[in-house]
Amino acid sequence: MRIREAVQGDAEGIARVHVDSWRTTYKGIVSESVLQDLSYEQRAENWRRGIGKNALYVAENERGKIVGFATGGKERTGKYDADGELYAIYLLHEVQGQGIGKKLTESIAQNLKEQGFTSMLVWVLEQNTSKKFYESLGGQPISEAMIDIGGEEFKEIAYYWDNINAIGELS
């Protein structure tokens, strides 16, 4: 498995992971119509515009296929003590549990450190079982908020690291 910074030609691979992981991760949580309406083409266009704007890393398998990604940057709300934020991290279902998510998270944390950030948070749907992943990396729940997805309200939990140098040291 190789972790590297994303480049412009990665948009389609990132989009495929984004859509496919949403469809497996949020099945039974988010309505099926929302999941089926996700579009590889639309996501790829969004990623083409977004590559290079924030930290973005991809995980490739031995054949060079993108199987996961993570992106992050400055904390977006200004409401928390965190100065950095893990905006998104997604892995194809078949590669979860292999340490790839940890490596992607560490890559974002390292990038944030290089930019002078010292802390980080990530928002996770309360019903998402990946909460345990963030807890295993030392993330502490610090806040909750509601988010609308497809006309339904869902609770999100903010997990916080007061020292991004310590991410992963507890796992």
Side-chain angles (χ1 to χ4, degrees):
M1 198 62 56
R2 177 177 166 218
I3 308 292
R4 63 170 175 78
E5 283 192 76
V7 296
Q8 203 50 241
D10 292 332
E12 286 76 15
I14 295 169
R16 187 154 299 283
V17 169
H18 202 168
V19 170
D20 290 351
S21 62
W22 258 70
R23 287 180 177 159
T24 56
T25 301
Y26 299 122
K27 185 174 183 62
I29 299 172
V30 173
S31 77
E32 191 63 28
S33 64
V34 167
L35 298 177
Q36 290 311 309
D37 285 346
L38 295 172
S39 158
Y40 295 122
E41 294 77 19
Q42 179 192 20
R43 292 288 177 182
E45 183 56 35
N46 290 346
W47 284 111
R48 273 190 285 280
R49 288 194 307 269
I51 290 174
K53 291 196 162 109
N54 294 299
L56 177 58
Y57 291 85
V58 296
E60 290 180 324
N61 66 16
E62 58 282 347
R63 295 181 310 281
K65 177 186 174 191
I66 294 174
V67 297
F69 73 91
T71 183
K74 184 180 190 304
E75 195 278 321
R76 295 175 280 193
T77 69
K79 296 179 183 176
Y80 302 96
D81 286 336
D83 51 6
E85 183 174 348
L86 175 61
Y87 298 148
I89 180 170
Y90 290 103
L91 299 170
L92 294 178
H93 182 74
E94 60 266 22
V95 300
Q96 292 176 8
Q98 299 177 20
I100 301 165
K102 179 181 177 188
K103 288 178 179 156
L104 285 166
T105 303
E106 289 170 343
S107 295
I108 293 296
Q110 181 61 38
N111 182 284
L112 293 175
K113 285 190 289 190
E114 290 168 4
Q115 295 180 62
F117 295 107
T118 60
S119 58
M120 184 176 84
L121 64 76
V122 63
W123 287 95
V124 184
L125 287 183
E126 180 182 46
Q127 294 171 276
N128 187 339
T129 57
S130 69
K131 294 183 304 189
K132 294 177 179 78
F133 167 74
Y134 301 107
E135 292 165 2
S136 76
L137 295 179
Q140 299 294 315
I142 60 160
S143 188
E144 297 176 352
M146 299 302 288
I147 185 174
D148 180 283
I149 301 173
E152 291 184 67
E153 292 286 313
F154 294 90
K155 186 186 290 185
E156 282 189 310
I157 300 170
Y159 283 87
Y160 171 72
W161 292 266
D162 65 349
N163 178 0
I164 58 177
N165 290 315
I167 289 178
E169 289 181 0
L170 303 176
S171 61

